[in-house]
Amino acid sequence: MGGACSRKRDQLDNGDNLNGRVSRRFCKSGSSKWLGTSFTRASMDVIQGNRRCPSLMELCIYKIREDINKYSTLSMLPRDLSQQIFDDLVYSQCLTDSILENFRDCALQDLNFGEYPGCNDNWMDVISSQGSSLLSVDLSGSDVTDSGLFHLKHCKNLQALNLNYCDLISDHGLEQISGLSNLTTLCFRRNNVITAQGMSSLSGLVNLVKLDLERCPKIHGGLVHLNGLVKLESLNINCCSCIADADMKHLSGLSNLKSLQIAFSKVTDYGITYLKALHKLALLNMEGCPVTAACLESLSDLGALLYLNLSRCNNLTDDRIDKFSKLRSLKVLNLGFDDVSDAILTHLKDLTNLESLNLDSCRISDEGMVNLADSGLHRLKCLELSDTQVGSSGLCHLSGLANLESLNLSFTAVTDGGLKKLSGLSSLKSLNLDARQITDVGLAALTSLTGLSHLDLFGARITDSGTNYLRCMLRNQLCYLF
């Protein structure tokens, strides 16, 4: 547990190595799992495991799947049955070109080919044969081209289309889907080809509720075509470095917008002024943007704002941070890696709705922690203090945070003696103590935290003697030990 080296998780997330994955196509974040389908595995698991008698439906699915090559079509089956067979074949990666042909004209509703090997234009004819029954299609990471998208023109009831990581789709492909007016969800993440001109094809998608254009570097000027999409509630243009203040102007009329992600764009304080009228906005992600605390003036009237991410904003300093005190509705605030000091806590202590606060790598010390002692942060559940100057004496000011469930003290100056001051945090479930100065003595003080389920001691110097305390914790609620 106490190796010679420790780890620091402050590297910039560039989206290319999420969850430890390497491949460009096989690294989707949580936001791209919107089209996930519940695949039926019961038939295989139950029959092979002999745990209970399988249902008639499970037996049918299992038998048809085993003999799938004996059939030329499954169109005579009830749709629910053929849908489950299809899902099971995809999940187990047994679907081939010839087997796919069996599902022609089956009136399937959901086709999830996300990251499925071999999916290309040749499959699109069978996909389109589902006709008006088809509601959602996931082609992410496929080799489908503009020509392939032509086949979707006849699927007029299509509501959700995922084209993330489809490198072969261009502006012409957008034109092919411009008539799918029932689309509510469209994802085009990480496309280096589509341009502002191509985005004109989106103007007719008047029922669009969610649009994901993350990592599309050529769409500057294209947001003007979203003006008429008054039903739009979620827009993700994270990591579009081409997006600037002028683009924000075209969002000012999207009065139903609830979620806006513009991380790592060129938007400044001036661009944020265009968001003043978005009174339904609940989530705003400005990570890595060149904004200062002055932008908070434009956000102060957004009473619905619950989640605000200002991490890695290099221009955000102590100057004008008093504006934070006006964001009374906030539940989640991320200021990680910003150049703010103890002064920030003075202006956050009265945000009574705050449940999560991230101050990772900020200039926070024991002196600033005093502001937590008699603060109004009674609802705070998650506090990130990793890589700050907080030491043992600062921990006594946490005693009033009765609802605190997660605390990160990795790479701080906290010592064994300071851990005794955490004994009153009865709601604590997760504690990160990735720090070299923590030893067996500190573990003894943690045994009173009977609700602790996650404990990170990666960099701590724990010996065999310390494992006795760990046994005590394992007898309580401790489930995950790092």
Side-chain angles (χ1 to χ4, degrees):
M1 227 167 269
C5 63
S6 189
R7 73 214 192 283
K8 178 60 180 167
R9 295 173 295 277
D10 65 348
Q11 286 78 15
L12 181 63
D13 178 10
N14 60 13
D16 292 337
N17 192 20
L18 296 176
N19 299 322
R21 300 171 186 172
V22 177
S23 170
R24 170 183 54 77
R25 287 185 175 176
F26 303 97
C27 55
K28 298 197 292 180
S29 69
S31 63
S32 63
K33 296 176 181 176
W34 55 271
L35 207 53
T37 306
S38 298
F39 298 117
T40 302
R41 298 286 294 165
S43 56
M44 287 285 289
D45 296 339
V46 171
I47 293 174
Q48 293 181 355
N50 293 319
R51 289 190 292 273
R52 65 172 176 81
C53 181
S55 68
L56 181 59
M57 176 69 80
E58 290 167 347
L59 286 171
C60 287
I61 294 172
Y62 180 74
K63 181 60 178 175
I64 294 174
R65 187 192 142 180
E66 288 295 295
D67 298 334
I68 192 70
N69 289 316
K70 296 180 180 179
Y71 308 111
S72 59
T73 180
L74 301 177
S75 60
M76 75 293 294
L77 294 178
R79 178 168 62 195
D80 289 351
L81 181 56
S82 56
Q83 181 74 62
Q84 290 189 57
I85 295 169
F86 174 83
D87 290 344
D88 193 75
L89 287 166
V90 173
Y91 188 91
S92 56
Q93 294 205 346
C94 294
L95 192 67
T96 62
D97 290 28
S98 58
I99 293 176
L100 178 64
E101 187 63 36
N102 294 350
F103 291 93
R104 182 181 291 276
D105 300 318
C106 281
L108 299 179
Q109 292 183 324
D110 305 295
L111 299 180
N112 188 340
F113 295 106
E115 302 173 355
Y116 197 89
C119 181
N120 54 41
D121 288 349
N122 295 330
W123 292 28
M124 296 304 294
D125 189 43
V126 174
I127 291 174
S128 67
S129 73
Q130 312 309 318
S132 60
S133 297
L134 194 60
L135 300 180
S136 71
V137 179
D138 185 349
L139 298 171
S140 57
S142 71
D143 291 322
V144 172
T145 69
D146 296 335
S147 300
L149 290 186
F150 171 81
H151 295 279
L152 294 180
K153 280 190 172 183
H154 305 295
C155 302
K156 295 298 184 180
N157 291 326
L158 195 63
Q159 296 175 10
L161 180 59
N162 188 338
L163 297 170
N164 290 339
Y165 321 115
C166 291
D167 306 328
L168 304 178
I169 294 176
S170 67
D171 290 348
H172 185 57
L174 283 177
E175 185 179 344
Q176 303 291 352
I177 63 173
S178 62
L180 300 178
S181 59
N182 285 311
L183 271 181
T184 60
T185 300
L186 177 61
C187 291
F188 247 107
R189 180 175 296 198
R190 201 167 186 176
N191 186 299
N192 295 320
V193 185
I194 60 174
T195 68
Q197 182 178 355
M199 285 184 64
S200 63
S201 299
L202 303 181
S203 61
L205 305 181
V206 293
N207 288 304
L208 210 58
V209 174
K210 176 179 178 179
L211 178 60
D212 190 341
L213 295 169
E214 182 173 312
R215 294 183 184 275
C216 292
K218 297 180 180 179
I219 61 172
H220 171 59
L223 299 189
V224 64
H225 302 297
L226 306 185
N227 281 338
L229 306 186
V230 294
K231 294 184 179 180
L232 198 64
E233 295 182 3
S234 175
L235 176 61
N236 182 0
I237 45 177
N238 278 343
C239 303
C240 295
S241 57
C242 60
I243 296 297
D245 291 341
D247 294 293
M248 293 295 99
K249 181 179 181 179
H250 306 302
L251 305 182
S252 60
L254 301 179
S255 58
N256 284 308
L257 204 61
K258 297 178 181 179
S259 174
L260 177 59
Q261 303 200 55
I262 55 174
F264 301 105
S265 66
K266 295 178 181 177
V267 176
T268 70
D269 297 338
Y270 180 73
I272 301 303
T273 62
Y274 291 114
L275 308 182
K276 286 182 178 181
L278 303 183
H279 295 296
K280 293 184 180 181
L281 196 65
L283 183 151
L284 180 56
N285 183 359
M286 295 190 285
E287 180 178 1
C289 291
V291 296
T292 71
C295 74
L296 301 176
E297 189 67 42
S298 301
L299 305 179
S300 59
D301 292 331
L302 301 183
L305 192 61
L306 303 177
Y307 308 91
L308 180 59
N309 187 352
L310 286 167
S311 63
R312 306 179 196 274
C313 294
N314 296 331
N315 295 337
L316 189 63
T317 65
D318 287 345
D319 186 36
R320 304 181 73 174
I321 55 173
D322 58 298
K323 306 298 182 183
F324 275 104
S325 62
K326 296 182 179 181
L327 305 179
R328 298 282 182 167
S329 61
L330 280 186
K331 285 189 175 182
V332 177
L333 177 59
N334 189 345
L335 298 173
F337 305 95
D338 290 335
D339 188 24
V340 293
S341 69
D342 291 331
I344 189 67
L345 290 173
T346 304
H347 305 292
L348 300 181
K349 64 180 182 180
D350 293 324
L351 299 185
T352 55
N353 290 308
L354 204 60
E355 296 180 3
S356 178
L357 176 59
N358 189 336
L359 296 170
D360 191 345
S361 302
C362 295
R363 292 184 289 116
I364 306 299
S365 67
D366 292 342
E367 183 178 347
M369 295 289 285
V370 174
N371 291 289
L372 298 178
D374 298 311
S375 70
L377 303 178
H378 302 302
R379 296 184 182 181
L380 199 64
K381 295 180 180 180
C382 178
L383 181 59
E384 291 275 341
L385 294 170
S386 177
D387 209 6
T388 62
Q389 301 163 28
V390 173
S392 296
S393 60
L395 298 187
C396 65
H397 303 299
L398 299 178
S399 58
L401 304 180
N403 292 310
L404 197 63
E405 297 179 359
S406 177
L407 179 61
N408 189 340
L409 296 171
S410 61
F411 305 98
T412 61
V414 173
T415 63
D416 291 334
L419 297 183
K420 297 177 182 179
K421 300 170 184 178
L422 301 180
S423 59
L425 300 178
S426 57
S427 297
L428 204 61
K429 297 178 182 179
S430 176
L431 180 60
N432 190 328
L433 292 172
D434 185 356
R436 288 286 294 160
Q437 63 272 19
I438 303 301
T439 69
D440 297 340
V441 177
L443 274 186
L446 301 180
T447 55
S448 62
L449 299 175
T450 56
L452 205 62
S453 58
H454 292 67
L455 180 60
D456 191 333
L457 296 168
F458 185 84
R461 291 178 293 158
I462 308 301
T463 68
D464 291 343
S465 298
T467 58
N468 293 323
Y469 301 116
L470 292 176
R471 285 195 195 94
C472 178
M473 293 185 217
L474 289 169
R475 283 195 294 269
N476 294 323
Q477 300 291 326
L478 193 64
C479 302
Y480 300 94
L481 179 64
F482 305 95

